[in-house]
C-alpha cells in the first residue's frame, strides 16, 4: 500500500475515565514517531461536536511534559460529548453532519482519525470509515476502546475498567472496615451504588476487596442477575446475624425479573435516549430499613469513581497508552475500520498485548458478565471472575502532588485556524 | 505528685476517621516508653460498651509492626460505638453504667484511661474523670480529639479533618475535571454531598480544590449560612452561563432560614438522639433540574470520605499520633481531666505543637466556621479559611499495597481474662 501522508485528528467521546487521556497521550506520542506519514497532529474538542464546529487544536503547540502528564490526568483533556450521528431517529441531521465531517476532514487534510470511546463511539467511527470508502476519501479510521463499563465485545477488557475497579474496591475495603468497626448489637448495613449501566462489571469488581481478611462486600447485585427482593433481604439478615455488618454493592442498572431497571426514572433520558439511572442504593436502603429494621446508610460514588486518577491502576494506564500507540501503528500500516483490543496472553504473571477487531463487530454489541462467573445464588462473582479482574488493578502510579493535592495538567488548546463557514 | 503505677486502657468512640488508629498507635507507642508507670496496656473494644462488658484486649500481644501499621489503617481498630452515658434522659442506666465502669477499672487496676472521640466522647471522659475524684479512685483520664467534623472547641483543628479534606478536595478536583470536560451547550451541574453535621468545615475544605487552574467548586453550601433558594438558583444559573459546568458542594446539615435542616428526616434518630441526615444533594438536584432545567447529577461520598486512608494527609497522621503520645505524657506527669489539643505556632511554614485543655471546656460546645471566613454572599469560604485549611492536607503517606489494594492491618485482639460477672 502506498504511503498516506496527511494530518492526524484525535478526539474523545462519551463519559470520561481516569485513563482516557493516557490513550490520547499514546496516540500523540506514537504519531510523533512517524513524521513521514503524519504532518500535523490535531485534537478535536468535545468529540464529534467539536469536529462539526471545526473546533480543532494544534497538539504540537503543547509541551512534551504536558502530553506525558495526560497519563495521570482524569477526565477528557480534549473535552468530550455524547453527541450522536443518529441515522435511525434523525437521518436528515445525521446525513448533514456526515457531509460536514468530511468537509472538515478535507479542509484540514485529515488522513488519520482516532476516536476514543465506548460502544456508541465505535459505531460512529465505523460509520465514518464506511463513508470514507463510499466517498473515495482516503482516510484511516481506528477506534480506541474506552469505557469504565467494560462492556465492549472482543477486547479482553476496556481501558478505564482497571482504574475504576481499583478505586471502588479500595473504597469498599475502607467502608467495610469503618462500618464493621461501628457495628455492635443491632448490626449495620451499608449500600454502595456504583456505575456500569446494564453491565455488572464495575459492581462485580469490588469483590476484590474481599482479600483484606474481611468478608466484605457480602452481597454484590449485578444487572445480569434479576433482583429477587425476598432472597436479598434474607441474605442481608443472615449476614448481619453472622457478621454484625453487611456491605452491599449495587450496580446502578440492577433489573427486576421483568427486566426493568429497579431505579430507572423513565421520565429522564440522556442524549443517547438511555434512561438516566439513579437511586438503586436509596431504594434498597429503604427496603432494608423498613423490612429488617437494620440501620442502613448509602454511598453513591457517582462521577468520583470514574475520575479517581489519584488511585489509578498502573496496569490500566499502561494499557490505555498502548491502545493509543497501537491505533497509530495500525493506521500507518494501512489499516482502517478497526478498533484496538486488549488481548490477554497469560494470567500469572499477567501478560497482554494489543490486537485489532473490525469496527463492524463492535458497534452496539454489549458484553456482559458470563453467568457462570457468578455464584449460583447470584450474590457474588466467583473465582473465574476474580482471576479475570485481579491483574487489572495492579500497580500504583507515581502521582505528582502540589500542596497535598494531585497535580493534573491542562492543555493550552491553541486553536487551528478555521477554513470553513460556521456550521448551519 | 507520687508516681502512679498501674494498667492503661485506651478506647475509641463515635464515628471513625482515617487517622483515629494513628492516635491509638501514639498512645500505645508512648506507653511503651514508661514501663515504670504503665504495666499492662489494654484496649477496650467498641468504646464504652466494650468496657462495660469487660471486653478488653491485651495490646502487648500485638506485633510492633501491627501497631505501626495502624497509622495507615482506617476505621476504629479497637471497634467503636455511639453508646452514651446519658445522665439526662436515662439517669438510672447511666448511674448503673458508671458503677460498672469503675468495677471494671478496679478489677483490672486501670489507672490510665485514654478516650479518643468527638464531642460526646469528651463529655463521657469528663464525667469519668469527675467520678474518679468523687469515688477516691486514683485514675488519670485524658481525652484524645478525634472528629472529621472539626467541631471541637479550643483545639486549632481536629485529627481526622485534614484527611477527609484532602480526599474530598481531590475528589472535587477530579469530578470538576470530568464534568467540565463533558459540558457542552446546555451546561451541566454536579452536586456533591459531604458530611459534617451542623458544622461546615468539611464542605468548606473542598475550596482547596480551586487551586488546580479550575474555578470549581463554584458554590459551597455550609450549615453556618442559612440556605436561600433563590440566591442559590441564580448563582447556579450564572455559573453555568459563564463556565458551562457548575460544581456545588453541600454539607449534609445545610439549614434553612428557620434553622431547620433542609434534608433532615426527623422520623429517624441516631443513638445520641440526633436526626439522621441524608439527601441534601438529591433535594438540591431536584431543585436545579426542575427550576433551571440543567442536567444535574449527584454524588454522596458518605462513609467513603472518612475512611479514605488510601489518600490520607501525612500531616494529619502525624498530628493524630502526636495527640496520642501527648495524652500519655500528660497522664504520666500527673495530669487528669484534660483533652489534648493541637496548637498552631505559625502558618508558613506550618508549625504546630500539642497542648491541654480542661475537659469541662470541651463537652457539648460546638465550634463552627467564623462568619468572616466565608464570602459575603455566603457561597464560598474566603482567604482566611484557605490559609487555615491548606497546611492540614499536606503530605502523602507511603501506603503499603498488595495486589493493587492498600494493605491495612487488623489487631489479633487477644482477650484479657474477665474477672467480673457478666453485666446485668
Amino acid at each position: 500500500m502506498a504511503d498516506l501522508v496527511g494530518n492526524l485528528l484525535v478526539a474523545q467521546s462519551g463519559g470520561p475515565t481516569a485513563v482516557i487521556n493516557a490513550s490520547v497521550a499514546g496516540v500523540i506520542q506514537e504519531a510523533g514517531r512517524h513524521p513521514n506519514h503524519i504532518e500535523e497532529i490535531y485534537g478535536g474538542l468535545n468529540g464529534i461536536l467539536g469536529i462539526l464546529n471545526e473546533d480543532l487544536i494544534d497538539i504540537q503547540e503543547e509541551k512534551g511534559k504536558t502530553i506525558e502528564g495526560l497519563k495521570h490526568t482524569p477526565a477528557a483533556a480534549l473535552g468530550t460529548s455524547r453527541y450522536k450521528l443518529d441515522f435511525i431517529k434523525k437521518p436528515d441531521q445525521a446525513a448533514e453532519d456526515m457531509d460536514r465531517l468530511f468537509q472538515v476532514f478535507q479542509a484540514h487534510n485529515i488522513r488519520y482519525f482516532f476516536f476514543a470511546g465506548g460502544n456508541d463511539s465505535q459505531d460512529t467511527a465505523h460509520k465514518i470509515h464506511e463513508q470514507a470508502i463510499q466517498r473515495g476519501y482516503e482516510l484511516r479510521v481506528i477506534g480506541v476502546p474506552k469505557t469504565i463499563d467494560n462492556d465492549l465485545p472482543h477486547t479482553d477488557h476496556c481501558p478505564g475498567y482497571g482504574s475504576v475497579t481499583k478505586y471502588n474496591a479500595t473504597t469498599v475495603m475502607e467502608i467495610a472496615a469503618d462500618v464493621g468497626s461501628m457495628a455492635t448489637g443491632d448490626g449495620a448495613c451499608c449500600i454502595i451504588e456504583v456505575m456500569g449501566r446494564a453491565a455488572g462489571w464495575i459492581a462485580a469488581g469490588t469483590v476484590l476487596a474481599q482479600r483484606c481478611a474481611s468478608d466484605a462486600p457480602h452481597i454484590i447485585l449485578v444487572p445480569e442477575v434479576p433482583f429477587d427482593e425476598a432472597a436479598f433481604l434474607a441474605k442481608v439478615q443472615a449476614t448481619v446475624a453472622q457478621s454484625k455488618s453487611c456491605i452491599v454493592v449495587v450496580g446502578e442498572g440492577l433489573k427486576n425479573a421483568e427486566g426493568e431497571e429497579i431505579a430507572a426514572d423513565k421520565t429522564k433520558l440522556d442524549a443517547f435516549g438511555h434512561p438516566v439511572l439513579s437511586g438503586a442504593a436509596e431504594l434498597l436502603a429503604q427496603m432494608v430499613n423498613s423490612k429488617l429494621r437494620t440501620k442502613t446508610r448509602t454511598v453513591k460514588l457517582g462521577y468520583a469513581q470514574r475520575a479517581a486518577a489519584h488511585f489509578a491502576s498502573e496496569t490500566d494506564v499502561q494499557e490505555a497508552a498502548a491502545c493509543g500507540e497501537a491505533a497509530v501503528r495500525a493506521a500507518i500500516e494501512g489499516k482502517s475500520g478497526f478498533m484496538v483490543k486488549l488481548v490477554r496472553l497469560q494470567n500469572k504473571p499477567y501478560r497482554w498485548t494489543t490486537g485489532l477487531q473490525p469496527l463492524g463487530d463492535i458497534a452496539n454489541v454489549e458484553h456482559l458478565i458470563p453467568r457462570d462467573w457468578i455464584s449460583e445464588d447470584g450474590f457474588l462473582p466467583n473465582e473465574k471472575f476474580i482471576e479475570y479482574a485481579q491483574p487489572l488493578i495492579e500497580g500504583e502510579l507515581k502521582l505528582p502532588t502540589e500542596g497535598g493535592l494531585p497535580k493534573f495538567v491542562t492543555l493550552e488548546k491553541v486553536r487551528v485556524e478555521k477554513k470553513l463557514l460556521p456550521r448551519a
Side-chain angles (χ1 to χ4, degrees), chain A residues 20 22 27 30 55-56 61 112 125 128 144 150 222 286 322 380:
Chain A
I20 184 173
V27 167
E30 184 66 32
D55 284 331
L56 311 183
E61 292 283 345
Y112 294 91
I128 292 173
V144 180
N150 203 39
V222 295
Q286 283 162 24
L380 280 178

Side-chain angles (χ1 to χ4, degrees), chain A residues 16 96 177 188 190 192 211 255 285 414:
Chain A
E96 206 175 287
C190 184
I192 303 157
R211 286 178 314 149
K255 294 186 181 78
V414 175

Side-chain angles (χ1 to χ4, degrees), chain A residues 147-152 155-159 161 199 201-202 367-368 388 392:
Chain A
T147 169
I148 57 166
D149 296 347
N150 203 39
D151 60 351
L152 289 171
T155 181
D156 179 79
H157 56 281
C158 304
Y161 177 63
W201 294 104
I202 294 180
H367 178 54
L368 303 178
Y388 165 82
L392 314 183

